[in-house]
Amino acid sequence: MVVVRELFPLVSVDIALFCVDDEGLKVLLVKRAEDPFARRWALPGGVLKPHLDDSLMAAARRVLAHKVSVELPHVAEVATFSGPARDPRGWSIAALFYALLPKDKINALVRNKVEAVAWASASAPGHRLAFDHDEQLRAALQTLRARVQDDVLPLHLLPGKFTLTQLQRVCEAILGRELDKSAFRRRLKGSPDLIELDEYERGPQRPAQLFMAREGFRF
């Protein structure tokens, strides 16, 4: 049974956690175990707890800590969603955040109030999401793409050492289109966020130089 709240708006946080694999850009979804929207897929989220959270950012990190077993290096706010109809419990406010992490560093766990977790295509998740999370996911993806189009590098999605080809593939996965290799590498020249290493990745082709992100880089 859904309890309707009448006195104060319900304040919550929702997080679009992105990673990239061989199939493209993915987002983490959870299957809700309780009403409202029991057994429906949604973005990970939770209610603000003033005795635990000194900010909405802190709430987002706390909520993700229940789904991911590592400390996230970067979480950024996207937008706020509000209104009387987005949650059947009553008037509500939700702050949407996005986070980036390599998939091999994420250990998504089934916790309380969650039946299952799954990775879905960020652009076509294949589920009608609970609440207004379809709209939220589109907003997070639009923000992520805009950052990459503005030449901000999504280095949080890459391993500690990576090649420029790996970086290009991550950017292509986010944008949903191929990039010209020569033009892409011209954009990278002089980037303060890339550290060139005297190390190479060996393979069937000629060795590829390795790079790493500058310490403290923010996307």
Side-chain angles (χ1 to χ4, degrees), residues 2 4-6 10 24 31 65 72 76 85 97 111 116 126 140 162 170-171 183 188 195 197 200 203 210:
V2 176
V4 178
R5 305 172 75 260
E6 297 180 348
L10 179 72
K31 181 180 280 189
L72 290 171
F97 294 80
R111 299 282 191 173
F162 53 85
V170 165
C171 291
L188 298 180
I195 297 176
L197 302 176
Y200 294 82
L210 291 170

Side-chain angles (χ1 to χ4, degrees), residues 56-57 74-80 94-98 143:
L56 290 170
M57 177 73 73
H74 182 58
V75 180
E77 189 169 355
V78 176
T80 301
L96 170 65
F97 294 80
Y98 74 76
T143 298

Side-chain angles (χ1 to χ4, degrees), residues 9 11 30 33 64 72 75 93 149 161 166 170 179 189 201:
V11 180
V30 298
L64 270 183
L72 290 171
V75 180
I93 301 168
Q149 287 170 343
K161 297 177 183 180
Q166 289 174 307
V170 165
L179 299 172
K189 282 188 176 181
E201 183 178 79

Side-chain angles (χ1 to χ4, degrees), residues 25-203:
L25 184 67
K26 298 293 184 68
V27 66
L28 183 69
L29 299 181
V30 298
K31 181 180 280 189
R32 295 176 57 82
E34 298 179 358
D35 283 325
F37 301 110
R39 303 188 64 79
R40 286 273 296 276
W41 290 95
L43 297 174
V47 175
L48 175 72
K49 296 182 178 181
H51 63 291
L52 295 177
D53 309 317
D54 57 11
S55 67
L56 290 170
M57 177 73 73
R61 289 187 175 278
R62 174 181 55 78
V63 168
L64 270 183
H66 286 80
K67 307 291 191 299
V68 182
S69 62
V70 297
E71 179 69 20
L72 290 171
H74 182 58
V75 180
E77 189 169 355
V78 176
T80 301
F81 296 78
S82 62
R86 60 174 306 276
D87 189 315
R89 290 169 291 188
W91 220 102
S92 65
I93 301 168
L96 170 65
F97 294 80
Y98 74 76
L100 310 176
L101 206 62
K103 190 174 182 181
D104 63 0
K105 290 188 177 180
I106 300 173
N107 181 20
L109 305 173
V110 176
R111 299 282 191 173
N112 294 336
K113 301 183 181 180
V114 173
E115 278 195 4
V117 296
W119 290 100
S121 167
S123 58
H127 305 282
R128 182 167 171 262
L129 303 183
F131 305 103
D132 53 1
H133 289 191
D134 288 296
E135 181 184 358
Q136 289 195 24
L137 177 55
R138 287 193 295 270
L141 183 55
Q142 182 179 15
T143 298
L144 184 59
R145 285 175 170 168
R147 296 289 285 162
V148 173
Q149 287 170 343
D150 288 341
D151 293 340
V152 182
L153 302 178
L155 302 179
H156 294 300
L157 289 170
L158 288 154
K161 297 177 183 180
F162 53 85
T163 66
L164 295 185
T165 297
Q166 289 174 307
L167 175 55
Q168 180 173 338
R169 287 174 180 165
V170 165
C171 291
E172 290 174 339
I174 293 171
L175 296 174
R177 58 182 173 84
E178 292 186 1
L179 299 172
D180 179 78
K181 180 178 177 179
S182 297
F184 179 75
R185 297 202 174 192
R186 283 196 299 271
R187 286 168 48 193
L188 298 180
K189 282 188 176 181
S191 171
D193 297 317
L194 290 177
I195 297 176
E196 188 175 329
L197 302 176
D198 190 22
E199 298 179 41
Y200 294 82
E201 183 178 79
R202 309 288 173 177

